[in-house]
């Protein structure tokens, strides 16, 4: 059994994050010592690492909750996990498309700036009036 500090060190999570995941039900409430200190098993630490990795990949908490539920029931089909991952991939691809449009517009704005005074600044003008943008990049 490990203290919350040891679990944090092993997973690379901050202690408040571990407490948050516990409050959100992503990890089971750990056993406690008589003094109230949380103690985590190796299984708890693996679960925390799973959550950290899923968050690093951008999964939302509800999706992680569903993925953990599937993980807790290894006899179930992985179709649901694949559906969650495919949906998340589609969202990432949509964000990438949006980011590419933003990059193109910002590149255009930056290149249009000739320096000088703020009163004639092309960057300020473009930000002040969306009509001056070459493409729709609002989300």
């Amino acid at each position: 059994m490990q203290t919350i500090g040891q679990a944090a060190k092993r997973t690379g999570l901050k202690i408040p994050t571990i407490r948050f995941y516990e409050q959100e039900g992503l990890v089971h409430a750990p056993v406690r010592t008589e003094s109230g200190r949380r103690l985590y098993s190796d299984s708890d630490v693996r679960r925390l690492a799973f959550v950290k990795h899923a968050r690093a990949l951008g999964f939302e908490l509800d999706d992680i909750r569903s993925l953990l539920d599937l993980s807790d029931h290894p006899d179930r089909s992985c179709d649901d996990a694949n559906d969650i991952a495919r949906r998340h991939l589609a969202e990432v691809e949509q964000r990438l498309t949006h980011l590419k449009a933003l990059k193109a517009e910002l590149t255009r704005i930056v290149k249009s700036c000739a320096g000088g005074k703020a009163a004639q600044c092309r960057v300020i003008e473009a930000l002040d009036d969306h009509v001056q943008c070459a493409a729709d990049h609002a989300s």
Side-chain angles (χ1 to χ4, degrees):
M1 300 298 277
Q2 303 159 60
T3 65
I4 195 168
Q6 291 166 326
K9 192 173 200 175
R10 281 196 50 203
T11 60
L13 292 167
K14 296 190 181 308
I15 290 173
T17 303
I18 293 174
R19 289 184 184 130
F20 173 74
Y21 290 158
E22 181 185 335
Q23 289 172 340
E24 289 295 313
L26 297 173
V27 292
H28 306 293
V31 296
R32 292 185 179 251
T33 65
E34 286 183 25
S35 64
R37 292 181 68 185
R38 292 169 168 87
L39 293 177
Y40 295 87
S41 67
D42 287 339
S43 174
D44 294 330
V45 172
R46 277 192 305 277
R47 193 172 181 96
L48 286 166
F50 180 102
V51 173
K52 180 184 181 198
H53 189 201
R55 289 296 293 149
L57 289 170
F59 285 97
E60 298 292 331
L61 294 182
D62 285 340
D63 287 338
I64 295 171
R65 206 173 275 110
S66 296
L67 292 166
L68 285 168
D69 183 57
L70 286 166
S71 178
D72 290 341
H73 300 93
D75 55 324
R76 288 176 45 194
S77 167
C78 74
D79 289 345
D80 290 341
N82 198 22
D83 289 344
I84 291 168
R86 284 180 191 274
R87 187 177 65 244
H88 183 55
L89 177 59
E91 292 167 0
V92 168
E93 288 172 342
Q94 186 177 26
R95 283 193 304 242
L96 281 171
T97 299
H98 180 73
L99 287 171
K100 286 177 184 176
L102 286 177
K103 179 183 177 189
E105 185 60 27
L106 287 169
T107 299
R108 188 190 68 76
I109 291 170
V110 167
K111 286 182 178 179
S112 73
C113 184
K117 304 263 184 217
Q120 291 84 32
C121 180
R122 303 295 294 165
V123 173
I124 300 295
E125 288 176 11
L127 294 174
D128 190 43
D129 185 3
H130 183 69
V131 174
Q132 293 189 33
C133 291
D136 185 20
H137 52 81
S139 56

